[in-house]
Amino acid sequence: LATSKQWQQRIRYSIPPSNATSKPNMSTEEKEPAAAKEEEEEEEEDLEKLQAEIARMEAEAARIAQETEDLDKSTSAGAAASTSAAAEGKKSEADTASKDGHSIYVGQVDYSTTPEELLAHFESCGTVERVTLVCDKFTGKPKGFAYLEFQVSTIIRCYFFD
């Protein structure tokens, strides 16, 4: 089989193909306009695709520029509010630390135990706000331990450490 370059050379020099099953005999004048027309159509399609891609990229650039501008405005307006937000952030960290003081770890929990059973068992120690029975993320089966969060941390100290 002849490659496309070989076909172009044969067309250019009017060399007939070597095998009879290849393209039918056309004059060189008929082949060249058809090939040129196909190339022009392909180039036009490529140009349209590129123009559509450029338009999409320009729209995305405009959107990013708008988002950046909005972010800059909110940052400059929020500079005064950042001091109050920092104070709130410290409060949330303090809340997290205080909640850690309200929590206990419970080991050797039977695999068939439900959170409701743990809640009922530890209610005598104080008000339980949350029971977290840790489960395997792939199988969904309990791992055999849990965390309990109480409303008041002093109850934990009284019942478990005295």
Side-chain angles (χ1 to χ4, degrees):
L1 294 174
T3 63
S4 61
K5 283 196 171 223
Q6 291 171 339
W7 277 108
Q8 289 173 356
Q9 289 174 351
R10 287 180 181 164
I11 292 170
R12 205 173 294 141
Y13 299 112
S14 298
I15 300 171
S18 59
N19 56 3
T21 59
S22 56
K23 298 198 176 205
N25 288 336
M26 285 186 176
S27 69
T28 306
E29 296 163 359
E30 292 175 356
K31 290 181 183 178
E32 286 179 6
K37 186 177 180 181
E38 287 179 15
E39 286 180 20
E40 285 179 26
E41 289 175 359
E42 288 178 11
E43 287 178 2
E44 287 178 14
E45 288 177 14
D46 289 343
L47 182 60
E48 289 173 3
K49 288 179 183 177
L50 287 173
Q51 288 174 340
E53 183 70 17
I54 289 170
R56 186 190 62 78
M57 292 172 79
E58 287 175 347
E60 186 176 355
R63 181 187 57 84
I64 291 172
Q66 181 64 36
E67 288 178 2
T68 304
E69 185 178 316
D70 292 344
L71 183 63
D72 289 342
K73 286 179 183 178
S74 67
T75 303
S76 62
S82 66
T83 55
S84 63
E88 289 176 14
K90 289 180 182 178
K91 288 180 184 177
S92 65
E93 289 175 12
D95 290 342
T96 304
S98 69
K99 286 185 179 184
D100 287 343
H102 297 234
S103 299
I104 62 166
Y105 166 84
V106 181
Q108 301 297 319
V109 176
D110 189 64
Y111 294 114
S112 63
T113 304
T114 64
E116 291 80 18
E117 292 173 339
L118 286 171
L119 180 66
H121 181 75
F122 285 98
E123 262 184 342
S124 63
C125 300
T127 306
V128 178
E129 288 194 7
R130 180 173 43 174
V131 177
T132 305
L133 191 61
V134 182
C135 297
D136 184 82
K137 66 180 178 182
F138 297 111
T139 63
K141 295 181 181 178
K143 287 188 171 184
F145 62 95
Y147 294 97
L148 286 113
E149 183 180 323
F150 288 91
Q151 191 173 22
V152 181
S153 63
T154 55
I155 293 174
I156 295 172
R157 280 191 226 116
C158 293
Y159 284 100
F160 295 107
F161 299 113
D162 286 341

